[in-house]
Amino acid sequence: FAPQEQEYQQALLLVVALAGLGLGLSLICIAVYLIRFCCCRPPEPPGSKSPTPGGGCVTWSCIVALLVGCTGIGIGFYGNSETSDGVSQLSSALLHANHTLSAIDHLVLETVERLGEAVRTELTTLEEVLEPRTELVAAARGARRQAEAVAQQLQGLAFWQGVPLSPLQVAEDVSFVEEYRWLAYVLLLLLELLVCLFTLLGLAKQSKWLVIVMTVMSLLVLVLSWGSMGLEAATAVGLSDFCSNPDPYILNLTQEETGLSSDILSYYFLCNQAVSNPFQQRLTLSQRALANIHSQLLGLEREAVPQFPSAQKPLLSLEETLNVTEGNFHQLVALLHCRGLHKDYGAALRGLCEDALEGLLFLLLFSLLSAGALAAALCSLPRAWALFPPSDDYDDTDDDDPFNPQESKRFVQWQSSI
C-alpha cells in the first residue's frame, strides 16, 4: 500500500478504467441488440392481430431482470449501512484517542502549574520562616529542587502537545466525507428502486410512455452503477492492500505528520513486550522525586513545627499539593500506558478493515447486479413495449360528449337526413 507512489495510483486508475470498459462494452452490446431487433424484425402481414411469438418470454425476462435489480438494491442498503458503521467506529476511536491525549496534556499542565505555585508561595514562605535554622532551610531548598525536577520531568510527558496532527480534526473530516458518501448512495439506491418499481408498473399497465421514460432513466442508472462500481473496486483494492499490513504505513505517516520519535509511536501502535515504554525513565525519576519530597516534608513537620509553629500552615498546604500531585501522577501512569491508545488503534482498524471493507464488497456486488439487471432490462424493454396493444386516443371519451368525433359524425348524418 503506497498511495503516494505514481505506479500505485496508476494501478488503482486501471481498476477504475476496467469499470469504464465494462460500461462501454455493455452499451455497445445493448446498441447492437436493439439495432438487430429494429432492423432484422420480420414484417408483419397487414391486418394481422395475432400476438408475436415469444412476447410473454420477453416480458417475463424483463420482470426477472428488474427483480434481480431490486435484490441488488437490498444488498446495496446493507452494504451502505455496514460501511457507515465501520467509518463510525473509526471516528469514535479517533475521538477517544483525542480524549486520552487531551487528558494527558491537561494533567501535565495542571500538575506543573500546581508545583510551580507551591514552589513560588509555600516553599518560599517556609524558607523565610525557617531562616534561623540553616539545616532546615537546606531541607526546604532540597524539597524545592525536587519539586522543580518533578515539574521538568512531567513536562516531557505531554508528548502530543504542539503536534499539528489532531485526531479530532481527522475524525471530523472523516465524518464529513462519510455523511455525503452515505447520502449519495442512499439517493442512488432510491433512484434505482423507483426506476424498477415504475418500470414494473408500466409493464403491468402496458403504459408505453411510462416504459419509455423508465428506459431512459434505466440508461442513466446503468451509467451511475458502472461509475460507482469503478470507485468501489478501486477503494476496496486500496483498502485491502492497506489492511494486509497497516502498521508500517501508519507509523511512517504519523511520524511524518507529527515529527514524534519512532520509539514513542512504536510503543503505542505495537504495544508488545519487545517495545519498552519510552517514558519509563521520566516516570521513575518523578516517582523517586515525589517520594523524596514526601520524606523531606515529614522530616520538616517533625522537627520544625515544634520550634516554628507558623511553619505548620505552609507544610500542610505543601502536603495537600503533594497528595494531589501523586494522584495526578498515578493517572498519568495509567494514561501513558500503551493499552488505552493501542485499544483505540485496534478499534479503528477493525472498523476500517472489517465493517467498512465488508460494506464495500457488498456495495460492489450491488453495483454488479444492478449493472447486469439494467442491461438486461434495456434489451427487453423496447421489445416489451412493441408488444403493447395500440392505444386509442378516444377510448376513454364519453359517448354523449358532443366533442366526441363519433358522436359528431352521427349528429351530421342525422342532420343531413332531416
Side-chain angles (χ1 to χ4, degrees):
F1 182 71
Q4 69 279 2
E5 295 182 2
Q6 186 176 3
E7 293 182 357
Y8 191 82
Q9 296 174 1
Q10 292 175 353
L12 294 182
L13 289 177
L14 178 61
V15 176
V16 178
L18 291 177
L21 179 62
L23 173 62
L25 290 176
S26 63
L27 291 178
I28 291 174
C29 292
I30 293 172
V32 169
Y33 180 84
L34 294 180
I35 291 173
R36 180 179 176 275
F37 166 70
C38 295
C39 299
C40 302
R41 183 172 55 178
E44 297 181 0
S48 175
K49 294 184 179 180
S50 61
T52 304
C57 181
V58 171
T59 303
W60 278 107
S61 64
C62 183
I63 293 174
V64 169
L66 293 174
L67 292 178
V68 171
C70 292
T71 304
I73 292 170
I75 295 175
F77 274 110
Y78 175 76
N80 195 35
S81 177
E82 283 293 305
T83 305
S84 180
D85 291 343
V87 177
S88 298
Q89 188 174 351
L90 170 64
S91 300
S92 299
L94 288 172
L95 291 175
H96 192 269
N98 181 77
H99 176 73
T100 302
L101 296 172
S102 300
I104 293 173
D105 293 341
H106 176 72
L107 281 175
V108 169
L109 180 62
E110 179 186 355
T111 306
V112 169
E113 289 181 352
R114 187 179 292 271
L115 286 174
E117 183 68 21
V119 168
R120 289 190 299 269
T121 57
E122 283 86 358
L123 281 173
T124 302
T125 303
L126 188 61
E127 291 176 5
E128 294 174 355
V129 171
L130 301 177
E131 189 174 0
R133 294 284 301 274
T134 307
E135 68 277 10
L136 298 179
V137 173
R141 289 177 179 174
R144 175 194 290 270
R145 287 192 297 270
Q146 294 291 338
E148 291 174 350
V150 170
Q152 185 178 2
Q153 293 295 334
L154 291 179
Q155 285 178 350
L157 298 179
F159 64 95
W160 203 263
Q161 190 173 10
V163 172
L165 181 63
S166 173
L168 176 61
Q169 185 63 41
V170 175
E172 290 177 352
D173 294 341
V174 169
S175 299
F176 177 79
V177 174
E178 170 60 20
E179 181 179 356
Y180 283 96
R181 185 211 63 81
W182 178 85
L183 180 61
Y185 266 99
V186 168
L187 293 178
L188 176 61
L189 291 166
L190 291 178
L191 176 62
E192 182 171 352
L193 180 61
L194 291 176
V195 168
C196 292
L197 293 179
F198 278 104
T199 304
L200 291 173
L201 179 63
L203 292 174
K205 294 290 186 179
Q206 294 189 347
S207 175
K208 183 176 293 187
W209 69 269
L210 184 57
V211 172
I212 292 175
V213 172
M214 290 302 107
T215 301
V216 176
M217 294 299 297
S218 298
L219 182 62
L220 173 63
V221 177
L222 176 67
V223 175
L224 294 177
S225 298
W226 279 104
S228 65
M229 187 188 303
L231 294 177
E232 293 152 6
T235 306
V237 169
L239 188 57
S240 61
D241 291 340
F242 166 77
C243 294
S244 62
N245 191 16
D247 294 337
Y249 177 77
I250 293 294
L251 281 171
N252 295 331
L253 179 63
T254 309
Q255 188 172 8
E256 291 176 2
E257 295 292 334
T258 61
L260 296 174
S261 65
S262 59
D263 295 336
I264 296 176
L265 297 178
S266 299
Y267 174 68
Y268 287 108
F269 284 126
L270 303 180
C271 193
N272 52 34
Q273 296 180 354
V275 183
S276 60
N277 189 346
F279 305 108
Q280 187 61 48
Q281 184 178 2
R282 289 182 179 272
L283 293 173
T284 303
L285 293 176
S286 299
Q287 189 175 12
R288 290 176 182 174
L290 289 173
N292 292 334
I293 295 173
H294 189 71
S295 62
Q296 289 172 352
L297 291 180
L298 288 178
L300 287 173
E301 185 178 2
R302 184 175 56 254
E303 297 181 7
V305 171
Q307 301 179 19
F308 305 95
S310 59
Q312 185 175 7
K313 183 177 180 181
L315 281 174
L316 292 176
S317 180
L318 284 172
E319 289 179 357
E320 182 182 356
T321 301
L322 184 62
N323 292 331
V324 174
T325 302
E326 287 180 345
N328 292 343
F329 178 77
H330 291 304
Q331 293 184 39
L332 280 173
V333 171
L335 290 174
L336 287 171
H337 198 274
C338 65
R339 286 191 301 266
L341 289 175
H342 185 72
K343 183 179 180 181
D344 296 332
Y345 175 63
L349 287 182
R350 284 192 299 272
L352 197 61
C353 298
E354 292 180 6
D355 293 341
L357 185 57
E358 179 186 359
L360 276 176
L361 294 178
F362 276 106
L363 287 176
L364 186 62
L365 179 59
F366 147 72
S367 298
L368 185 62
L369 290 176
S370 174
L374 290 175
L378 285 172
C379 291
S380 303
L381 284 175
R383 296 189 63 184
W385 84 54
L387 299 174
F388 291 169
S391 59
D392 189 356
D393 294 337
Y394 306 106
D395 284 346
D396 297 332
T397 55
D398 190 1
D399 291 339
D400 297 332
D401 188 1
F403 296 100
N404 186 348
Q406 299 295 333
E407 183 67 21
S408 299
K409 184 177 180 181
R410 286 195 296 268
F411 177 75
V412 170
Q413 293 177 353
W414 174 74
Q415 189 177 17
S416 60
S417 63
I418 293 177

